[in-house]
Amino acid sequence: MVYTSPYESVVIPETDLWSFLFERKSKLFADSKEIFTDSETGRTYTFGDLRSTSLDFGKGLQALWNWQPGDVMAFYTPNSIDTPPTMLGLLWAGGVGSPANPLYTEHELAFQLRDSGAKAIATQLPFIETARRAAKSVGIPEDRIILIGDAHDPSGHFRHFSTFRNASSSGCPAAVKVDVHKDLAFLVYSSGTTGMPKGVCLTHYNIVSNVLQMAAIDSLCIHPFGGMDGKGDKGLGITPFFHIYGLTCCIMAFIYNGWELISMPRFDLERACQLIEQYKITFAYVPPPVILAFSKHPIVEKYDLSSMRMFSSGAAPLTPELATALWDRLKIAVKQGYGLSETAPVATMQILDDWGKFLGSVGKLVPNMQARLVDPDSDKDVNQGQPGELWLKGPNVFPGYLNLSENTAATMSSDGYFKTGDIFVVDKHGNLTCVDRLKELIKYKGFQVPPAELEGILLGHKDIADACVIGVEDKEQATEVPRAYVVMKPGLPTDGAKANQIVDWLASRTAPHKKLRGGLYFVSEVPKSASGKLLRRVLRDQVRQVEKA
Ligand code: 4UU
């Protein structure tokens, strides 16, 4: 059975993202409307500033670097209010943005730079050393590293993006013409259902679609609380802009809707509380651990959070208990959305009215989406009420992984659905609930941890013969954590000290969210199929059995 979104379809214009945001809306918002404010400096971009700064930067890219359509720029930076205008200027010039976690090691960053074919890197001063080393290792010239943020390079060696503004010519030609269905706006990285991180190709049309799909849900959410009408609503910008959640739900949706985002460079609970009180913030997109912090931490009591109307939680499962705990303590509603990098990202979203009625559900399909729930062994639809793998179709679904046609083919069904690798049930109202994950991906606080990547590094350790990494639940932190099962080479120690040593060794080679917080256990073998394929699920199911007992 094909499930269709119960919401009225939205009309999606065949417009590039820059023009979609700035040409249409410029007629609706005053140029002076504040959109992005930096939580620490108070610096602000108004709608008019965003438009002119992005234009200047786009023109500068063409004039100074001869930027060509399709050229990729990596963004290796924590949230900065300079990301939206530079990223959009890049798009104006026909370029493609590829954001990377600023805590990536040189090696992790180099992987993405190489894979995406990045021609330049936008970063901030504290990250310049890693950016420089990674750039060097993939052959990006040092003068293609550009700074954003408040700090300039005192030596003047690395150029600040604002100097592109001065360099650009006057006049306002149109954005570079793109084929909205083929040309990419973003190349974000996700391991998908299996293996190493892959470039998820997202077209202009994908992103424009998702902004409008979300806007349709928002328009149904807000009225009981007095209208999310672009006049008074303010969001707290916690979600990383380097993840598709922040890119679409914070950067693009806020510009489109004319909402103000108070952007935090990193999440800190007390600082978040101060900002909510100071700016009278009304909503925020967050992952579940942030809900945990607000519902449990004593510091929250010190602040007046009464302006907050709702959180929207996504990127990992939110339990009914957590949503209820937040409501009981602060009377803030928390609705849930679900999606993936491959769906740009929002595929389902609760309307505010539904959050307490269907606790634990991720809501219904957003407009213009269809879904099937399928038995992954037979590819047949499951009966209603039965769990099945969620397959999705819609204008926000990506065209494929970069240069990986086999992976793309494996993830698309013959009838054109994208196979999410997540197991869902659906109720008679069309509310979807995620009950399990078929794929091997681990999510630490909403961040991806691809097990194959950690196993690859572990196998590079001189003492290790074999390894298997799985996700285990950490209820206290409301997240999964990665755990390794390791086979040592014969005769080597397998005590706690050795385990800690390997955990630290691995941690020094990865971004902090990939640390083996679930521990490292020595085993004599790891489960494998007859053909030698690692059976992570077998191990994961065994752990779940033990933990249940
Ligand atoms: C259970 O994390 C994302 C997308 C996040 C997002 C956030 C708010 C989507 C919609 C929204 O409203 O993308 P990725 O690619 O990093 O990770 C995708 C995976 C999914 O396949 C699923 O396993 O993250 C998991 N996931 C969730 N799981 C995402 N949202 C949820 C959820 N419940 N609500």
Side-chain angles (χ1 to χ4, degrees):
M1 169 176 176
V2 174
Y3 298 93
T4 309
S5 170
Y7 304 113
E8 197 178 325
S9 293
V10 290
V11 177
I12 297 156
E14 307 254 330
T15 315
D16 72 274
L17 186 51
W18 191 92
S19 309
F20 168 71
L21 294 175
F22 290 121
E23 305 269 86
R24 192 192 67 91
K25 276 291 173 176
S26 58
K27 297 181 188 72
L28 298 183
F29 298 141
D31 272 1
S32 58
K33 177 80 187 73
E34 282 150 344
I35 307 288
F36 298 111
T37 296
D38 183 284
S39 63
E40 303 316 296
T41 63
R43 188 158 67 90
T44 287
Y45 278 104
T46 64
F47 184 74
D49 295 336
L50 284 172
R51 190 171 191 278
S52 62
T53 307
S54 65
L55 260 179
D56 284 343
F57 185 62
K59 284 194 270 181
L61 282 177
Q62 288 177 334
L64 297 166
W65 285 356
N66 190 26
W67 203 261
Q68 295 297 308
D71 282 356
V72 175
M73 183 182 290
F75 282 77
Y76 178 63
T77 166
N79 282 11
S80 159
I81 59 167
D82 292 335
T83 299
T86 45
M87 186 108 63
L88 285 160
L90 169 71
L91 293 186
W92 179 90
V96 181
S98 188
N101 188 326
L103 300 180
Y104 272 177
T105 62
E106 173 195 335
H107 180 77
E108 289 166 322
L109 178 61
F111 175 87
Q112 184 168 331
L113 294 175
R114 189 178 292 112
D115 191 75
S116 64
K119 296 257 180 346
I121 307 171
T123 188
Q124 297 199 53
L125 203 55
F127 302 86
I128 204 90
E129 262 320 298
T130 314
R132 207 173 56 82
R133 287 200 308 270
K136 189 165 180 215
S137 76
V138 302
I140 297 176
E142 242 179 61
D143 64 4
R144 292 293 151 115
I145 301 178
I146 193 164
L147 290 173
I148 63 171
D150 291 290
H152 291 235
D153 176 10
S155 73
H157 184 65
F158 292 101
R159 214 173 162 148
H160 193 262
F161 87 96
S162 54
T163 63
F164 274 53
R165 167 185 287 200
N166 304 335
S168 62
S169 59
S170 58
C172 176
V176 165
K177 272 239 162 314
V178 295
D179 177 336
V180 297
H181 294 287
K182 287 209 184 97
D183 292 330
L184 307 190
F186 302 126
L187 195 51
V188 297
Y189 275 73
S190 165
S191 64
T193 47
T194 180
M196 292 291 285
K198 292 175 259 299
V200 177
C201 297
L202 291 169
T203 63
H204 285 256
Y205 192 72
N206 290 148
I207 306 293
V208 169
S209 299
N210 210 231
V211 170
L212 288 170
Q213 289 167 306
M214 274 178 61
I217 300 293
D218 287 328
S219 72
L220 299 170
C221 278
I222 321 300
H223 300 134
F225 291 84
M228 212 167 193
D229 53 9
K231 293 206 183 79
D233 267 294
K234 284 188 186 162
L236 187 63
I238 303 174
T239 325
F241 295 166
F242 61 77
H243 186 260
I244 190 64
Y245 193 2
L247 269 185
T248 301
C249 301
C250 290
I251 298 185
M252 304 309 156
F254 275 69
I255 302 176
Y256 174 78
N257 290 298
W259 296 329
E260 184 177 0
L261 187 81
I262 312 301
S263 170
M264 299 180 76
R266 72 197 68 78
F267 178 65
D268 173 87
L269 180 63
E270 180 152 27
R271 188 76 192 115
C273 292
Q274 289 165 354
L275 292 166
I276 292 170
E277 189 177 276
Q278 179 189 345
Y279 285 94
K280 306 223 174 324
I281 284 166
T282 57
F283 72 109
Y285 290 103
V286 295
V290 173
I291 303 296
L292 177 78
F294 276 98
S295 59
K296 300 261 153 78
H297 202 288
I299 205 101
V300 171
E301 301 289 347
K302 284 174 48 190
Y303 296 91
D304 174 9
L305 307 184
S306 57
S307 58
M308 270 308 271
R309 297 204 297 250
M310 68 171 191
F311 283 103
S312 198
S313 174
L318 176 79
T319 60
E321 293 76 23
L322 212 46
T324 311
L326 183 79
W327 178 259
D328 289 346
R329 184 183 200 193
L330 296 172
K331 296 290 174 281
I332 304 171
V334 49
K335 68 189 182 77
Q336 201 177 179
Y338 159 86
L340 315 89
S341 304
E342 290 88 338
T343 56
V346 186
T348 77
M349 174 85 77
Q350 282 188 311
I351 61 166
L352 193 56
D353 259 1
D354 277 355
W355 82 269
K357 290 185 213 156
F358 304 105
L359 278 172
S361 163
V362 295
K364 303 179 173 87
L365 291 169
V366 297
N368 304 36
M369 287 213 89
Q370 292 126 50
R372 290 176 55 191
L373 284 188
V374 175
D375 173 350
D377 294 328
S378 67
D379 279 6
K380 295 231 163 60
D381 290 336
V382 297
N383 292 330
Q384 189 168 14
Q386 295 300 307
E389 185 186 7
L390 180 69
W391 289 11
L392 291 169
K393 199 186 265 191
N396 52 323
V397 174
F398 79 135
Y401 297 109
L402 183 71
N403 302 329
L404 292 167
S405 48
E406 271 183 31
N407 284 283
T408 303
T411 203
M412 298 291 179
S413 73
S414 55
D415 56 345
Y417 282 82
F418 161 59
K419 306 177 181 181
T420 65
D422 293 308
I423 307 281
F424 276 85
V425 290
V426 61
D427 73 8
K428 59 180 191 296
H429 308 285
N431 292 297
L432 287 146
T433 300
C434 186
V435 291
D436 200 359
R437 202 180 289 141
L438 187 65
K439 58 190 170 192
E440 40 193 53
L441 175 67
I442 302 165
K443 280 239 148 159
Y444 175 69
K445 299 193 172 180
F447 294 111
Q448 291 205 1
V449 184
E453 188 183 335
L454 296 190
E455 288 154 2
I457 303 175
L458 286 170
L459 290 178
H461 190 288
K462 64 178 181 16
D463 298 341
I464 293 178
D466 212 345
C468 179
V469 173
I470 59 167
V472 294
E473 214 183 318
D474 180 338
K475 274 221 164 83
E476 253 169 48
Q477 293 201 76
T479 182
E480 275 179 297
V481 287
R483 173 185 291 176
Y485 289 86
V486 164
V487 183
M488 293 294 271
K489 289 184 177 159
L492 291 172
T494 53
D495 51 37
K498 185 70 190 171
N500 291 339
Q501 227 178 50
I502 299 176
V503 169
D504 293 343
W505 175 87
L506 181 67
S508 70
R509 282 163 174 73
T510 67
H513 67 274
K514 296 179 191 165
K515 186 172 178 180
L516 292 172
R517 290 181 170 78
L520 184 147
Y521 293 75
F522 293 112
V523 288
S524 56
E525 58 178 353
V526 289
K528 296 222 169 128
S529 70
S531 60
K533 193 175 171 313
L534 203 50
L535 297 175
R536 299 185 186 88
R537 260 181 82 80
V538 170
L539 206 49
R540 202 190 64 172
D541 291 344
Q542 281 171 7
V543 172
R544 284 187 183 179
Q545 286 302 328
V546 171
E547 277 171 4
K548 253 198 216 149

